[in-house]
Amino acid sequence: MKMKAVVFGAGNIGRGFLGSLLFKSGFSVIFVDTDKQKIGLINQHGEYPVIAVSNKGITEELVENISGIEFSDSDNLNRAIVDAEVILTAVGKNALPAVAMSLAKGLTERIKRRPNSDAHIVVVACENVNDNTEYLRSLMSKCLSEEDMNKVNNSISFPKCVVDRIVPNTLPSGANQDPLAVAVEEYFQFVIDKKALKASMPIIKGVEFHTDLTAILEQKLFTLNMAHAIVGYYGYLKRCKFIHEAMDDRNVYNLLIGALKEVELTITTRHSSIRSESQELYAQKVISRFQNPYLKDEIVRVARQPKRKLGKEDRLVKPALLTWEQGRIPAYIATGITAALSYDYSGDSQACEIAHDVGIKGIELTMEEISGLKTEREKEIVQMVKSNYIFRIL
């Protein structure tokens, strides 16, 4: 009998990354989603193709043994949670409060129905959010009594994780056009906090365990996520459609290299477990991934939700602040922040809000409000960005 995994989110990450790994590891996968049409297709077909794209070309695999549950179907969802061996999420930060409510109910039921030794399960929030699974657990605590939350904390593991796989919105030309088909890059990373596990978890192929997850998380957030975002914003300003096209622009490439050099010192200074040589290799890998012409990673997908990406703890402002605190000028990162504040794509509500606020309030106050920079020291970063912005629009 196959092990069961519940995946909240049947989008591209849920199907193309998590579903694929779980299937290869011998699980039957139950997807939970609010999209009734997608859940209907999953239950109708019971399989979907994943197209892996690398610099060498395109390969296709079939993910089978899948089923779906509508998020509103609480009875079947509870049963799935009670019976599962592992639970993962790929829904985005804004949807986590709703997921937390469902998990609170389902996990409480699981503890009631199963003996203490058998109630343990690993819940992992595979989200690009700082302290991702811990954040999900904190949301759950608001849905339960103190007594029930203590039972959950004693029985369930909530390890933080680092997940990394580029999943574009478009399929390569000539690829399988199945409605559930999803394209992914060949490379992926999935690291789980070993220290947070109360008991062993089922083997998922490709998953690594690490005791210093903060270092791994910051390496990804400040290197990959930072670089991806600024190439997206620069690419938009250069009127490119895809990330690999932006990488072909000499100025974009040089601005990226400058930001990566600044971040290298910041990360290696903060984390002794990351040496300069390994950070350089990581950055080189990032560059190679962005240059993949087969991936066709759209600029507007990468650049979306700029207000979130400009948060004080996120991929642009945080490394700039840390670099500044270490006594160095984050010149290239500040230029990337300026590009984010210049992103005015009409199809992105957050970009439109920023453009409106800059026009009414000015660049300085807009950035302070979005990024929460209040101290005099923090506002020095704002001044770097402001000068860049004024110069850009001359």
Side-chain angles (χ1 to χ4, degrees), residues 1-4 21-28 203 205:
M1 187 174 179
K2 286 184 174 292
M3 297 181 292
K4 295 179 181 179
L21 291 186
L22 289 164
F23 169 68
K24 290 176 181 176
S25 304
F27 288 84
S28 62
I203 295 172
K205 290 184 178 179

Side-chain angles (χ1 to χ4, degrees), residues 316-378:
L316 298 172
V317 175
K318 184 68 171 182
L321 286 172
L322 291 173
T323 302
W324 188 234
E325 288 169 5
Q326 290 178 4
R328 297 186 308 281
I329 299 174
Y332 287 93
I333 305 173
T335 304
I337 294 172
T338 306
L341 288 162
S342 304
Y343 180 62
D344 59 359
Y345 175 54
S346 61
D348 188 310
S349 60
Q350 289 191 9
C352 294
E353 290 170 9
I354 290 175
H356 174 269
D357 288 349
V358 169
I360 300 297
K361 303 175 183 178
I363 189 69
E364 185 173 353
L365 183 56
T366 299
M367 184 184 171
E368 287 179 7
E369 289 180 350
I370 292 173
S371 301
L373 302 181
K374 299 178 180 179
T375 69
E376 290 304 313
R377 184 68 171 163
E378 291 172 347

Side-chain angles (χ1 to χ4, degrees), residues 35-315:
D35 189 329
K36 294 182 179 180
Q37 183 179 6
K38 192 174 292 180
I39 292 300
L41 287 170
I42 286 172
N43 286 325
Q44 179 184 347
H45 295 287
E47 61 184 30
Y48 61 87
V50 173
I51 295 95
V53 188
S54 71
N55 284 313
K56 299 175 183 177
I58 299 171
T59 58
E60 183 179 316
E61 67 177 24
L62 195 63
V63 174
E64 301 172 295
N65 297 315
I66 64 168
S67 60
I69 298 174
E70 291 181 23
F71 186 74
S72 59
D73 186 356
S74 57
D75 289 341
N76 280 321
L77 178 52
N78 280 344
R79 277 192 286 270
I81 292 172
V82 169
D83 294 339
E85 274 76 32
V86 65
I87 298 173
L88 308 177
T89 79
V91 296
K93 182 178 182 179
N94 292 339
L96 284 177
V99 171
M101 290 181 65
S102 292
L103 277 175
K105 184 177 180 181
L107 291 174
T108 301
E109 187 68 23
R110 179 187 179 94
I111 293 169
K112 289 178 182 177
R113 291 192 191 183
R114 303 179 70 154
N116 289 337
S117 60
D118 193 37
H120 178 261
I121 191 172
V122 178
V123 178
V124 188
C126 305
E127 316 288 348
N128 273 325
V129 178
N130 231 1
D131 294 332
N132 38 38
T133 311
E134 176 57 28
Y135 174 64
L136 175 61
R137 193 198 65 79
S138 70
L139 292 172
M140 284 182 56
S141 69
K142 299 175 183 178
C143 308
L144 293 171
S145 67
E146 184 177 351
E147 180 182 359
D148 284 341
M149 193 62 207
N150 285 337
K151 291 178 182 178
V152 168
N153 284 332
N154 290 333
S155 302
I156 313 298
S157 292
F158 293 95
K160 294 182 290 185
C161 73
V162 175
V163 288
D164 177 10
R165 192 173 210 178
I166 296 174
V167 182
N169 288 329
T170 56
L171 295 171
S173 57
N176 191 325
Q177 297 300 309
D178 183 291
L180 290 174
V182 58
V184 299
E185 67 169 331
E186 187 177 53
Y187 173 88
F188 72 87
Q189 181 186 35
F190 193 166
V191 185
I192 286 177
D193 183 5
K194 186 177 181 179
K195 294 186 295 184
L197 294 177
K198 294 179 172 64
S200 62
M201 67 175 287
I203 295 172
I204 302 175
K205 290 184 178 179
V207 169
E208 304 171 46
F209 297 92
H210 207 285
T211 55
D212 187 5
L213 202 73
T214 299
I216 303 297
L217 183 61
E218 289 196 354
Q219 183 183 49
K220 175 184 178 279
L221 186 65
F222 302 161
T223 309
L224 171 74
N225 295 132
M226 179 278 294
H228 213 189
I230 65 173
V231 172
Y233 296 125
Y234 292 143
Y236 175 79
L237 295 175
K238 297 292 292 186
R239 302 183 185 278
C240 298
K241 184 176 182 180
F242 300 112
I243 289 294
H244 73 271
E245 294 175 343
M247 291 294 292
D248 288 338
D249 184 280
R250 182 178 179 182
N251 289 327
V252 171
Y253 182 86
N254 286 336
L255 286 169
L256 171 62
I257 295 298
L260 289 172
K261 288 290 186 184
E262 289 174 351
V263 159
E264 178 187 325
L265 279 171
T266 303
I267 291 173
T268 55
T269 299
R270 280 175 64 80
H271 301 290
S272 59
S273 61
I274 301 177
R275 297 183 178 275
S276 295
E277 296 80 5
S278 63
Q279 177 62 22
E280 286 178 13
L281 289 173
Y282 186 88
Q284 289 169 11
K285 183 66 176 179
V286 165
I287 292 169
S288 176
R289 293 166 67 190
F290 292 174
Q291 291 172 328
N292 182 355
Y294 295 99
L295 198 56
K296 296 191 180 302
D297 198 9
E298 290 185 311
I299 292 289
V300 294
R301 184 198 77 83
V302 175
R304 65 188 173 186
Q305 298 182 331
K307 291 180 91 169
R308 175 172 63 86
K309 293 180 170 72
L310 285 164
K312 189 175 181 179
E313 298 298 318
D314 216 291
R315 65 208 68 192

